[in-house]
Amino acid sequence: MPGQEVPAGLHIQIDMATGQRQARLMPAEAGDVDNANAVELNAGAGQEVLVVNHAYTDRLQELIERVLDAGTKPVDRSVEDLLDEQLDELKELVYDPHQAERLLRTPGAVAALLQLSNPMPTLQAWAASTQRLSSIIIGTTVQNNPELQAMAYRLGAIPSLLHALRDERDAKTAGKHVFALSALTRGHSLALEQFINLGGFRILSELNPLASVVYKGEIEASKLDLRIVRFVEDMLNPEFNPRVAATSASMISQFAGVWCSTLAARLVDSLEDVVDDDQQTSLAYERRLAYLRSLRVLQQAHRDMCILPASFKRWKENELSRINHSDAEYRQVLENIEA
């Protein structure tokens, strides 16, 4: 219920569809009757009282030790499935900020996760699923937590993830690296400045998943493209990063101009209608809406830099004449763009 106090030790998760917090008891170990979670009735108050055990903190330590072991040894294909199960369990535990902090404060844990998500060139890589889960854990651990963002930043997460993103050839895995980078830099000025200084904007702009022959699969490439567009929009929006240094602010402003031209060019040249596949047609419109909304944000935040080419004006006029009036949302967003 809104405003209700959440007892300590519960698993907290955000429903991204509704924005609501969800809390649930962590499952006890199978057969562990003494430590099982329980609900008792307080007869005097007529209310239920949650009795929550903290045995899962011991499980967290076991999982961290497994990560440390896997991240510091050569790839062992015989344990990949088990490792993925353990990483998936760890991902759930670090939704709790106390457990996330414990993970980050464990010496070598972040380095091990980064090694699992971004192997050194001389080493064999773990499976793509392992790399994805490792980046998800890093992003989940620091998301919306400035203190934990700062810890991961100091431990070198951004350079490693940028390296992983630049060299990644699987669109789904690249999307998880983008998620982790977004969680690290959103609202954290030092992390954003490091991202900029290491060429993060250039790396993102050069990916262009829909035009690349590197990524296989239209659907996953489209999802990666949307992640990149929304990530860049957040970074270029002063509302989310108001305290960057003057040099970084200037670089952000300059890139805003470049990104406006990039999005406009992709709308004009790259996003073709798909008429034989409902899912791809839906994704095409979703991409266009994401591009147009980003352009609108950039026009408002960087008006002097976000100058659209004449070809975009012609495309906008043709698009408005092409779409039917049932596409009310798309039409409204398109009409709001100053061309």
Side-chain angles (χ1 to χ4, degrees):
M1 295 293 292
Q4 180 177 346
E5 183 176 353
V6 178
L10 291 185
H11 171 90
I12 308 298
Q13 189 168 353
I14 303 296
D15 186 334
M16 300 307 292
T18 65
Q20 294 180 328
R21 290 195 308 166
Q22 300 174 339
R24 63 179 172 84
L25 298 174
M26 298 301 298
E29 292 295 314
D32 187 358
V33 177
D34 294 335
N35 286 326
N37 294 313
V39 178
E40 296 180 351
L41 183 65
N42 183 330
Q47 295 178 339
E48 287 183 336
V49 177
L50 290 172
V51 181
V52 183
N53 78 77
H54 298 278
Y56 67 88
T57 59
D58 295 331
R59 180 57 177 164
L60 176 77
Q61 188 58 42
E62 293 176 8
L63 295 172
I64 292 175
E65 290 172 1
R66 178 62 188 122
V67 167
L68 288 169
D69 182 63
T72 54
K73 292 182 178 179
V75 174
D76 183 351
R77 298 297 181 199
S78 68
V79 301
E80 280 185 327
D81 289 343
L82 176 60
L83 178 59
D84 281 0
E85 291 177 7
Q86 293 167 331
L87 287 171
D88 193 57
E89 186 178 352
L90 180 60
K91 178 192 70 177
E92 292 296 314
L93 289 177
V94 297
Y95 277 110
D96 179 341
H98 298 294
Q99 305 310 319
E101 183 174 355
R102 185 177 174 185
L103 170 65
L104 287 185
R105 289 192 182 279
T106 300
V110 171
L113 283 169
L114 291 171
Q115 179 61 31
L116 292 175
S117 68
N118 175 34
M120 298 296 290
T122 57
L123 299 178
Q124 187 179 18
W126 286 93
S129 57
T130 303
Q131 297 178 47
R132 288 195 290 269
L133 282 165
S134 300
S135 285
I136 291 172
I137 290 170
I138 293 170
T140 302
T141 299
V142 304
Q143 195 170 32
N144 302 318
N145 191 317
E147 182 179 355
L148 299 188
Q149 284 177 308
M151 291 174 63
Y153 156 73
R154 291 193 296 269
L155 290 168
I158 292 174
S160 180
L161 287 165
L162 275 175
H163 180 273
L165 179 62
R166 184 191 62 202
D167 295 341
E168 185 55 60
R169 295 298 179 263
D170 178 75
K172 189 173 183 179
T173 305
K176 306 312 177 186
H177 298 333
V178 171
F179 161 69
L181 285 165
S182 176
L184 282 160
T185 57
R186 185 182 175 95
H188 193 283
S189 58
L190 291 178
L192 177 58
E193 288 168 13
Q194 184 182 57
F195 177 89
I196 294 170
N197 292 332
L198 291 173
F201 282 147
R202 176 182 54 78
I203 292 172
L204 290 177
S205 63
E206 290 177 353
L207 288 179
N208 194 8
L210 296 174
S212 174
V213 296
V214 170
Y215 302 114
K216 296 180 180 179
E218 173 79 9
I219 304 302
E220 290 301 331
S222 296
K223 291 178 180 179
L224 173 59
D225 185 61
L226 286 172
R227 278 193 179 276
I228 291 172
V229 170
R230 289 163 180 160
F231 177 28
V232 173
E233 179 184 325
D234 283 353
M235 285 192 295
L236 298 181
N237 189 343
E239 178 183 344
F240 296 122
N241 297 288
R243 293 183 295 275
V244 295
T247 301
S248 296
S250 176
M251 294 176 69
I252 288 173
S253 181
Q254 292 176 33
F255 185 75
V258 173
W259 192 241
C260 278
S261 298
T262 298
L263 292 180
R266 291 181 185 179
L267 281 164
V268 172
D269 299 331
S270 303
L271 298 180
E272 302 296 336
D273 284 326
V274 180
V275 296
D276 58 347
D277 187 308
D278 289 341
Q279 186 176 19
Q280 289 186 348
T281 299
S282 176
L283 282 169
Y285 276 104
E286 187 177 0
R287 289 198 303 270
R288 290 182 179 184
L289 278 170
Y291 281 34
L292 292 169
R293 286 173 176 148
S294 286
L295 281 175
R296 183 57 179 161
V297 169
L298 295 179
Q299 283 187 330
Q300 294 173 327
H302 303 276
R303 182 172 297 275
D304 293 340
M305 301 300 296
C306 189
I307 302 173
L308 302 179
S311 58
F312 178 84
K313 182 177 181 179
R314 293 191 295 271
W315 176 84
K316 175 184 174 180
E317 292 171 349
N318 291 335
E319 191 73 354
L320 285 171
S321 64
R322 183 189 66 81
I323 60 177
N324 58 54
H325 291 282
S326 64
D327 298 324
E329 181 185 14
Y330 182 56
R331 175 177 289 275
Q332 183 63 50
V333 173
L334 185 56
E335 289 175 343
N336 286 338
I337 300 298
E338 300 174 11

